[in-house]
Amino acid sequence: MRILGNAGKNEDSQDAQLVVRAQVEALKARPQARVLIVGGGINGVGTFRDLALQGIDVALVERGDYCQGASGASSHMIHGGIRYLENGEFRLVKESVVERNGLLKIAPHYVKPLMTTIPIFSTFSGILSAPMRFLTHKQGKPQERGAFLIKIGLSLYDAFSRDGGTVPRHEFKGRKKALAELPQLPANLKYAATYYDASVHNPERLTLDVLQDGEKAGITSDGTHNARATNYVAMTAIKDDGVELTDQLTGETFTFNADVIINTTGAWVDMTNTAMGAGTRFMGGTKGSHIVLDHPELLAACKGREIFFEHTDGRIVLIYPMGDRVLVGTTDVNADMTKDAVCTEEEIDYFFDLVGHVFPNIAVSREEIVYSFAGVRPLPRHDETAPGFVSRDYRIERADRTIAGASVPVLSLVGGKWTTFRALSEHMSNDVLAILGASRKTSTAKLPIGGGVNFPATSAGIEAWIASHTSDSVDAARAGVLLTRYGTRAETVLAYLAEGEDTVFDSTAELSGREVEFMVEHEQIGHLIDVMIRRTSLAFRGLVTSELLAETAAALACPLGWNEAKVAEEIGHAITIPDRFHGVQVQSLIA
């Protein structure tokens, strides 16, 4: 099942031998669906899952890899957004807190409670400026928020979490107790407020889980697949006979038709609408950058919690541990959509300054950065409103287009954030169901996601799971890696590994040849870099080496039909992407 073809001319495609992609062939074989979703970030994928669960024939295309855009460049937080209270966005905060609590239950393999501490340096600061920000939504002169304002905000935050709450309420500590807990905080600290939110350590893998749940839900009793999704396929134009789709790996084009089209392309919504012949001016995205540090002293100073605070310029920033690394972010500046979203040298200097603001005795340097990333938030057009005060809420815009002689509703998603993807997807699906004259069959509010099904609820339970899945061929460390990476879907991976000969890589004990084959068969690998960034956390943690790239490319070659020239191309591509977008130069294990 191989096809020879010339790739399209874009940053993600090269001339190569390619195996026929079953997902693309499925779209071409039946080039129509009730609903076509354009955009494979978390909101598009979440809507795909929700519609599939309602029995709707739905297709999804993503021009790059799943979760490659803003969804993969988030602050890795699942949070209510305490600072949105000052914008008067009470509906959004309440929904976000409810969804945060829900995700802790339905996606416990990836979404974890996150203790969060706010260092406070005054008592009443900001008490006069906050009402003006609330009324005008303009930032004005930066002024630090004092304990009084933060106490009010956290009390409201707790109130929103009463129904179905799964996290402890906030608490305040004075200077002495706060410094006893976190001795690296500044000596001029007055208080520390601690509350709980949540984090998602593997947003890319959670997106895949949601996608696979949708694909599974779309399989009918007679074996028909009514939920079809493929990455590396772009919506490129409207033709006389339908929507033009272009395979980004081969350059091949074909047309597709649907009764409803959903545009969930994030910050690129306006560009996607332009490609459909009806330009819009909905979006005004802002860029957010982050750095990841290998810094044991900073990691220890955090004591397992996020440090969340307002910097001197009024921006809300964060420092928190993710495994054995520390994530520092984020910036919030107007984005230039004509340029790559990358973390700049100026932003790195800003991050170092903010670390020094909170932990003045801890030095950080560029040598400790193992990864950086940036994304464009899909925010609404905001004109003179300061970026930090632009609403994080969402809305759905409808415009009917004539496609292939029929009037087709096009729904464009403006805004949205990670935390509320499930509720947003339900909202979008309800709008689609109303258009189609269909009714909702099931709610996703309490439906476990992917590997969250029967995931162990305690550390002891996790240890027991690992022990029960350890064998002569899979040691405890490897079983633990698989559980972290896949949740309880690791059982399916382990069964796959047991069906053939497998060898753990020499360059890392976290990956094996047969697991890479599993990813090809079940997770739509288009490029070598997909494995490094979005199927594993190896790139995020700064663990990609030239030897790892060579071993992984060799494992991909056979199932993907790559010849020697293609393998070399993919290795080159996987070296270029970290350098261009993530400030990382791939090194060799061999000194």
Side-chain angles (χ1 to χ4, degrees), residues 1 20-33 36 48 57-61 66 215 219 223-231 233 245 247 252 254-257 524:
M1 283 218 352
V20 168
R21 292 198 290 153
Q23 290 80 12
V24 177
E25 293 303 305
L27 293 181
K28 290 163 60 181
R30 185 166 61 86
Q32 67 274 330
L36 172 64
F48 173 81
D57 183 10
V58 57
L60 179 146
V61 294
Y66 301 115
E215 290 177 320
I219 301 175
T224 300
H225 289 254
N226 279 341
R228 296 166 291 161
T230 183
N231 54 4
V233 169
L245 301 180
D247 188 328
E252 182 181 9
F254 59 98
T255 55
F256 197 91
N257 282 285
Q524 300 187 41

Side-chain angles (χ1 to χ4, degrees), residues 225-467:
H225 289 254
N226 279 341
R228 296 166 291 161
T230 183
N231 54 4
Y232 295 109
V233 169
M235 194 288 300
T236 47
I238 298 296
K239 298 295 186 180
D240 291 340
D241 56 346
V243 176
E244 179 187 78
L245 301 180
T246 302
D247 188 328
Q248 301 295 283
L249 300 182
T250 67
E252 182 181 9
T253 64
F254 59 98
T255 55
F256 197 91
N257 282 285
D259 298 326
V260 179
I261 296 175
I262 300 175
N263 179 357
T264 53
T265 54
W268 294 268
V269 158
D270 292 332
M271 299 178 188
T272 301
N273 285 335
T274 297
M276 286 193 283
T280 54
R281 298 179 74 242
F282 297 143
M283 308 305 298
T286 67
K287 188 186 76 165
S289 296
H290 307 75
I291 57 174
V292 182
L293 299 169
D294 181 4
H295 197 306
E297 186 183 7
L298 184 59
L299 182 69
C302 291
K303 294 288 183 72
R305 68 183 78 188
E306 173 191 29
I307 309 299
F308 182 81
F309 62 100
E310 183 179 22
H311 200 28
T312 53
D313 62 357
R315 290 180 185 169
I316 301 297
V317 290
L318 51 92
I319 304 170
Y320 72 100
M322 299 197 69
D324 57 357
R325 301 291 188 259
V326 181
L327 179 67
V328 182
T330 176
T331 53
D332 197 1
V333 296
N334 289 322
D336 183 346
M337 298 302 294
T338 67
K339 297 180 179 179
D340 292 339
V342 297
C343 182
T344 65
E345 290 297 316
E346 292 76 15
E347 286 174 309
I348 292 173
D349 288 338
Y350 174 80
F351 291 139
F352 287 174
D353 182 57
L354 70 87
V355 171
H357 180 71
V358 177
F359 295 118
N361 297 319
I362 297 178
V364 292
S365 69
R366 279 167 169 74
E367 287 70 32
E368 288 148 341
I369 300 175
V370 297
Y371 194 68
S372 68
F373 60 96
V376 181
R377 300 177 182 90
L379 302 182
R381 189 175 186 87
H382 51 272
D383 299 320
E384 297 304 315
T385 301
F389 284 80
V390 180
S391 174
R392 266 53 174 177
D393 212 340
Y394 61 88
R395 71 179 193 268
I396 299 167
E397 296 280 354
R398 174 175 172 169
D400 292 359
R401 293 291 324 283
T402 300
I403 302 175
S407 180
V408 178
V410 177
L411 304 182
S412 297
L413 175 62
V414 181
K417 64 197 204 80
W418 245 105
T419 305
T420 57
F421 84 85
R422 190 216 60 84
L424 184 156
S425 299
E426 186 174 81
H427 183 171
M428 179 73 82
S429 295
N430 286 340
D431 285 1
V432 173
L433 292 172
I435 292 171
L436 297 177
S439 58
R440 174 167 291 277
K441 295 180 178 180
T442 185
S443 170
T444 58
K446 297 182 180 180
L447 190 64
I449 295 172
V453 175
N454 298 322
F455 189 81
T458 64
S459 297
I462 289 173
E463 292 177 7
W465 189 98
I466 291 172

Side-chain angles (χ1 to χ4, degrees), residues 13-53:
S13 56
Q14 303 92 20
D15 293 344
Q17 282 188 321
L18 296 167
V19 167
V20 168
R21 292 198 290 153
Q23 290 80 12
V24 177
E25 293 303 305
L27 293 181
K28 290 163 60 181
R30 185 166 61 86
Q32 67 274 330
R34 298 300 305 278
V35 179
L36 172 64
I37 300 172
V38 183
I42 187 57
N43 290 315
V45 168
T47 303
F48 173 81
R49 171 182 182 250
D50 196 298
L51 286 172
L53 286 163

Side-chain angles (χ1 to χ4, degrees), residues 78 97-113 161-167 198 444-449 451-457:
I78 300 295
V97 169
V98 170
E99 290 301 305
R100 177 201 68 193
N101 293 344
L103 286 171
L104 285 165
K105 296 174 182 176
I106 66 177
H109 53 323
Y110 297 138
V111 180
K112 310 289 184 181
S161 191
R162 284 176 184 168
D163 295 331
T166 58
V167 298
T444 58
K446 297 182 180 180
L447 190 64
I449 295 172
V453 175
N454 298 322
F455 189 81

